[in-house]
Amino acid sequence: MIREVRTDGGEVEIPEVDSVSGSGVPIRGNDIDTDQIIPARFMKVVTFDGLGEFAFFDLRFDDDDNQKEHPFNEDRFQDSSVMVVNSNFGCGSSREHAPQALMRWGIDAVIGESFAEIFAGNCLALGIPTVTADSETIQELQEWVDANPDGDIDIDVDAETVTYGDTTVDVTVDEAQRKALVEGVWDTTALMKSNAGEVRKKAEELPYVDDAAIPDAE
Amino acid sequence: MSEGTLYDKVWDRHKVTTLPTGQDQLFVGLHLIHEVTSPQAFGMLRERDLEVAFPELTHATVDHIVPTADQSRPYAEDAAEEMMTELEDNVREAGIEFSDPNSGDQGIVHVIGPEQGITQPGKTIVCGDSHTSTHGAFGALAFGIGTSQIRDVLATGTLAFEKQKVRKIQVDGELGEGVEAKDVILEIIRRLGTEGGVGYVYEYAGEAIENLGMEGRMSICNMSIEGGARAGYVNPDETTYEWMKETDYFRDNPEKFDELKPYWESIRSDADAEYDDVVTIDANELEPVVTWGTTPGQGIGIAEEIPAPEDLPEDKRDTARRAQEHMRVDPGETMDGYEIDVTFLGSCTNARLPDLRRAAEIVQGRQVHDDVRAMVVPGSQRVQEAAEAEGLKDIFEDAGFDWRNAGCSMCLGMNEDQLEGDEACASSSNRNFVGRQGSKDGRTILMNPQMVAAAAITGEVTDVRELKEVTTA
Ligand code: SF4
């Protein structure tokens, strides 16, 4: 899947994401917060480029930059693109740096028990599905990934299923997320821009918006 | 589905249309930006050759990386200087007002919006910062967004969003001595869990909430996100209107106040509004709450025992075990007496004037413990100025506190203010995640600002009510 969004005369190509395939990487633990996904000190940047190498940094390296035990450090997971996590993944701050770092490390989709809302929203804005399943299903999948680090996991976003090995399980994809991904409207800027006239009208109706704050119509 | 709540009403007033995804396109009444999450969004705009749609409804400040000691330019740290310059260029080019450090109006984004009166009841307010929920204290619908959404808001003045459920949290009764708004919200998160609010917006109501000033309401709404709720709000009332009247915006435009008040009244939740869920809490039962672990949901009353992981719900046990190891605490102990190396009085949760006043009352006439590094970081330049004018700075400095300039500071350790090694920090901020305060071995204990002051004096987590007894004895 090509996720790089390019400009072409102001037009942006938004790919449809109806399925994602790739080998998995299990990241175990509940409540993994955004400070763990990307520590704040790596956010002193004005672009997201290069954030990939800092994903889970403090969980992956000790003070002397020696590698610690972490799936992202393991050779067998270096080509993985589907992350399998537990509950409340991505809680904490609104930093899009978190999914940006994961995406740049190579993650295309996340399967988990549950996600923090802002994190899931930020993933959607990058075209990364966050699909959910119950804890038993997730645990089995994590174990399977451990045993089959090269095995493909197929996420069918539209049908809300995940297939690995000979197993297919039902998963849940939030309705708006599913539509946005499948119909290729997850990048909402152009879509919303096309309603500029109605937006202007809304602004004029609101009692607190000064007329001077509404720019002249184009 | 909820009906007749402030959330429903403000949503309806701002809904532009329903998008093909089923999400609503919402008009954004105020877009706050800061240096950490906005530069990439401006970059995306440039890439697509788009302009800022409503610069006048956008307001910028600098808070996360700003040094709190020497603020002369260029900043000592190159990365900080680069981020600041980038923000300056972006706002200049787009014609966005900027409360920069030279303006006297700079501060943490969630402190300055309310101060300047641009945070108002019935507005939709967004910012690339999860604690935007703070502004809900005014009866605004306010939530944090990611950088791609910042791009959306910059480019269109709107946001694609799904409507959520509304949970009313009714806090009855009265808060006791030494117990504050902060304890109410820590208690709520502890009871409902850090995920309890996912999919919900919290409406805080009841006597204990109504009796709070705006600052206390802000402390509560601020931490809605720690409870998993994207937004939290309090219905506007006379307390809100009194605050609004005193802000720059309405002092300069008194006729605007009369014009807008009917709107503010109209968006209050109806008496017979329907909620998706209601939770009741008795304020009389609360004592000061402190955290023992590494999520804001791991809190206990100061006299209560730290729970054994086995006694917690199954999905919480692992996190609890890891947290107890990190914090080096054992089940059955209380947090009372836990040794402290650093105290941080600051952040958008608790660094407003009344917070500093209450802490100063505890500090007055006492000395910071020899083994403690104690700092006060006012939430904004205005708070700082007011605190200095009424002598609070002197009280803190005489006691041995380090009095610094406004910013986020050690709340997240993006500037030079950081924990070192495994230091334990009594903090008035909102997050005790591992690594949050700049050191991955650092230990953060969240508590109310009076409790932070007490810890600075005794060098350990202390029930502030005991110090008060001494003061009055
Ligand atoms: S004070 Fe802390 S929580 Fe508040 S905006 Fe700054 S970093 Fe975020």
Side-chain angles (χ1 to χ4, degrees), chain B residues 63-64 108-110 129 131 222 347-349 407-408 411-412 430 436:
Chain B
D63 48 13
H64 285 64
I108 307 173
V109 63
H110 313 307
D129 193 286
H131 291 101
N222 175 271
S347 92
C348 58
T349 317
C408 294
C411 175
L412 90 167
N430 46 40
R436 172 71 177 182

Side-chain angles (χ1 to χ4, degrees), chain A residues 7 30 44 61 63 88 92 94 96 114 117-118 122 174 185 187-189 192-193 195 202 208 210 215, chain B residues 14-15 25 29 47-48 53 77 129 146-148 151-152 155 164 195 198-199 230 256 315 414 431 440:
Chain A
T7 6
N30 298 333
K44 290 186 213 166
F61 299 95
D63 287 334
N88 200 27
S94 66
E96 189 167 308
S114 61
E117 254 166 52
I118 301 187
N122 284 341
D174 169 79
V185 288
D187 184 311
T188 32
T189 306
M192 296 202 293
K193 186 105 189 124
N195 297 329
K202 191 89 281 190
Y208 64 79
D210 291 332
Chain B
H14 291 79
K15 178 176 159 179
Q25 181 174 0
E47 247 173 55
R48 298 182 188 197
E77 204 184 340
D129 193 286
T147 294
S148 296
R151 173 197 66 206
D152 282 356
Q164 287 159 313
E195 277 179 89
V198 173
R230 193 92 180 247
K256 271 275 168 197
D315 60 323
M414 265 187 91
R431 287 190 175 144
K440 58 189 166 192

Side-chain angles (χ1 to χ4, degrees), chain B residues 77-130:
Chain B
E77 204 184 340
D78 291 345
E81 178 62 26
E82 189 191 359
M83 293 171 87
M84 177 63 169
T85 314
E86 182 86 11
L87 181 63
E88 287 171 325
D89 291 348
N90 287 333
V91 296
R92 191 180 320 112
E93 204 175 299
I96 292 168
E97 206 177 326
F98 182 21
S99 295
D100 71 16
N102 297 324
S103 66
D105 300 330
Q106 174 266 341
I108 307 173
V109 63
H110 313 307
V111 179
I112 68 149
E115 272 174 358
Q116 298 181 21
I118 52 178
T119 296
Q120 294 169 13
K123 270 194 185 183
T124 41
I125 302 178
V126 300
C127 174
D129 193 286
S130 58

Side-chain angles (χ1 to χ4, degrees), chain A residues 5-12 14 28-36 39-48 57-59 61-65 68 87-89 91-97 100 113-118 121-122 124-126 174-177 179-181 183 185-196 198-200 202-210 212-215, chain B residues 12-17 19-23 25 27-30 36-37 39-40 44 47-51 53-57 65 77 79-80 82-83 86 120-124 127-130 144-149 151-152 155-160 162 164 194-195 197-200 225 228 230 249 256 259-260 263 294-295 315-316 319 322 412 414-415 418 431 433-436 438 440-441:
Chain A
V5 175
R6 294 212 183 78
T7 6
D8 187 7
E11 286 297 307
V12 185
I14 311 299
R28 293 187 167 86
N30 298 333
D31 302 304
I32 294 184
D33 56 72
T34 49
D35 283 80
Q36 293 179 55
R41 64 182 186 282
F42 300 118
M43 289 165 52
K44 290 186 213 166
V45 288
V46 294
T47 78
F48 291 127
F57 195 87
D58 289 344
L59 299 174
F61 299 95
D62 68 12
D63 287 334
D64 305 317
D65 285 345
K68 297 203 280 194
S87 76
N88 200 27
F89 187 85
C91 60
S93 88
S94 66
R95 59 184 73 155
E96 189 167 308
H97 306 66
Q100 287 276 359
E113 289 173 47
S114 61
F115 297 92
E117 254 166 52
I118 301 187
N122 284 341
L124 177 62
L126 303 178
D174 169 79
E175 184 56 20
Q177 181 187 134
K179 277 199 172 163
L181 289 171
E183 290 168 22
V185 288
W186 47 269
D187 184 311
T188 32
T189 306
L191 189 64
M192 296 202 293
K193 186 105 189 124
S194 65
N195 297 329
E198 281 158 279
V199 172
R200 214 187 131 76
K202 191 89 281 190
E204 285 163 358
E205 275 168 29
L206 282 164
Y208 64 79
V209 180
D210 291 332
I214 308 172
Chain B
D12 289 347
R13 293 290 295 242
H14 291 79
K15 178 176 159 179
V16 176
T17 184
L19 296 168
T21 55
Q23 292 171 306
Q25 181 174 0
F27 183 77
V28 171
L30 173 64
V36 181
T37 52
Q40 302 84 353
M44 295 176 192
E47 247 173 55
R48 298 182 188 197
D49 204 14
L50 293 168
E51 286 184 358
F54 294 94
E56 303 242 3
L57 303 183
I65 53 95
E77 204 184 340
E82 189 191 359
M83 293 171 87
E86 182 86 11
Q120 294 169 13
K123 270 194 185 183
T124 41
C127 174
D129 193 286
S130 58
I145 57 177
T147 294
S148 296
Q149 292 172 310
R151 173 197 66 206
D152 282 356
T156 71
T158 62
L159 187 68
E162 262 170 280
Q164 287 159 313
T194 49
E195 277 179 89
V198 173
Y200 284 94
I225 187 70
R230 193 92 180 247
Y249 182 78
K256 271 275 168 197
E259 203 181 304
L260 285 178
Y263 170 61
T294 54
T295 83
D315 60 323
K316 299 282 165 231
T319 317
R322 266 183 283 126
L412 90 167
M414 265 187 91
N415 68 355
Q418 308 201 348
R431 287 190 175 144
F433 299 147
V434 172
R436 172 71 177 182
K440 58 189 166 192
D441 299 317

